[in-house]
Amino acid sequence: MNMNKLKEIIKSRLKAVLEVHNLKEHISKLSVQQECLQAVVSNLSKQNSALEEKLNFYENHINSRKILSLAAYFQEELRKLDCKNTEKKYIFITARYRTGSTYLYSLFASIQNTNSFLEPLHPHLLETEAREDKWHKQQRELLSHTISNNYFEEYKALDRSILSLLHKKDFSTKNIIMTSEDIFNELKEYLLFLISSNIEQLNVFQFNRVDFRLGWLKANFPNALILNLRRNPRDIFASYCKVSQKANLPEGSGFDCLFGDRDQINAISRRLRPQLAIQELNEYEKIYILNRLSNLWSDSLADMIIDYEELVAAPYKILEKITAKIAGVTLKIEDKKIIKPKNNTFGLWKEYNTDSWFKQSELKCERLIEKIIA
């Protein structure tokens, strides 16, 4: 091998070694940059968490101010809210548990040109909708519901990825009382998603968890017709008892595991004056107080009030009365095809206690309500 060729090989190898060295140095720099970026990301993540904590604190602080007088509160809300001349485009049904709201939902669901949503704020909506048919049948029998499909069947038509992202379990328990000025952006975005899912039909939403949020709903959804459905609290109590017996709940366990009344009373008590001593209330008194407070909110802030007894007596007439408030909506249902309610729904309370026992509890609750209103 001549000297020139040897020099060329040496140069070539030296060049290759230099390139490897430079590449290692470049990789080392990239590694340092990556570590720096990871540190920046970590720092931003911590800042984001801190901001979220501050936002949550701010929202909870805003949404936890004491309501010193219900009478003054309702007067102030009505002064701020002026939705009388706003066109109503969809329906929000608000009701206590066991008032017949699922029956009203099933009536709307049977109408061809409506899009009805069952309990949008139910904490177990997503997993319940995915359960087997047998489970849904058992629940319908347990709760004496008149719906023909599985629970939450209508949500299957929605984009699952968006629904899963927007729906939160704590919608049913967070900010149970909200005023027109309160903030709950997550709930607002979720409801807007449901409303916009089908604007060609009349959207109807059946809620059991918005009784004390009507001011917030009217402020954020002025196009909603807020309809309150109510029922004799004694029959509500009897319905609670009936479901509890069917579910074979342990004696003395109360209704809290079924309907969460204790949590609602505790949350409401934190906002109202004077506070309600839940340990001093029997099961009927819990139901009665929540029912009376719900009625007070609806008396001031709902657009329509319907009695369950009135609905059962003339369902088609009530549907016409409700939809007459929505421009351009005509019912597409025949009177003979109206879903019939369950039998024996009135006066069931007589099977569970005497008239004097109920009156004594009601008098006690009314004294508490008077202090809250004043």
Side-chain angles (χ1 to χ4, degrees), residues 114-115 117 158 193-203:
T114 63
N115 190 36
F117 291 93
L158 306 177
F193 165 68
L194 296 182
I195 290 167
S196 63
S197 64
N198 191 337
I199 59 174
E200 301 299 322
Q201 294 183 313
L202 172 62
N203 284 313

Side-chain angles (χ1 to χ4, degrees), residues 70-84 180 214-215 218 296-303:
L70 275 186
Y73 162 71
F74 291 133
Q75 186 177 7
E76 181 65 12
E77 286 289 78
L78 290 171
R79 185 186 68 79
K80 295 173 186 172
L81 296 166
D82 183 18
C83 305
K84 291 181 180 178
S180 58
L214 298 191
K218 288 183 81 72
L296 288 172
W297 251 263
S298 297
D299 287 341
S300 294
L301 300 172
D303 300 303

Side-chain angles (χ1 to χ4, degrees), residues 21 26 60 84 123 128 181 195 229 247 277 282 293 298 311 343:
H21 176 75
H26 183 63
N60 291 332
K84 291 181 180 178
T128 298
E181 294 182 338
I195 290 167
L229 179 67
N282 64 37
L293 289 173
S298 297
L311 174 66
N343 295 326

Side-chain angles (χ1 to χ4, degrees), residues 318-336:
I318 295 302
L319 287 176
E320 284 188 318
K321 182 179 178 180
I322 296 169
T323 53
K325 301 286 186 179
I326 312 293
V329 172
T330 304
L331 290 180
K332 292 185 179 179
I333 186 172
E334 297 178 28
D335 188 34
K336 63 182 180 181

Side-chain angles (χ1 to χ4, degrees), residues 197-304:
S197 64
N198 191 337
I199 59 174
E200 301 299 322
Q201 294 183 313
L202 172 62
N203 284 313
V204 180
F205 303 86
Q206 178 258 316
F207 293 102
N208 291 123
R209 295 166 167 86
V210 296
D211 312 56
F212 313 110
R213 300 168 170 177
L214 298 191
W216 181 85
L217 285 175
K218 288 183 81 72
N220 288 275
F221 302 92
N223 296 117
L225 175 73
I226 297 180
L227 163 67
N228 174 241
L229 179 67
R230 56 183 61 174
R231 185 183 186 185
N232 184 331
R234 296 187 183 187
D235 282 332
I236 295 176
F237 173 75
S239 185
Y240 270 50
C241 292
K242 190 175 181 181
V243 172
S244 297
Q245 290 167 355
K246 284 185 177 180
N248 293 319
L249 294 181
E251 189 174 346
S253 62
F255 304 136
D256 293 319
C257 59
L258 288 175
F259 304 105
D261 288 348
R262 176 181 291 275
D263 292 336
Q264 286 214 339
I265 289 177
N266 284 334
I268 290 168
S269 187
R270 286 192 291 268
R271 297 291 305 274
L272 301 181
R273 179 193 61 83
Q275 290 192 344
L276 301 169
I278 194 167
Q279 67 274 10
E280 298 176 6
L281 302 174
N282 64 37
E283 295 302 318
Y284 176 59
E285 288 164 356
K286 294 176 193 175
I287 291 169
Y288 187 87
I289 283 179
L290 287 172
N291 193 68
R292 280 284 284 118
L293 289 173
S294 176
N295 289 351
L296 288 172
W297 251 263
S298 297
D299 287 341
S300 294
L301 300 172
D303 300 303
M304 286 186 73

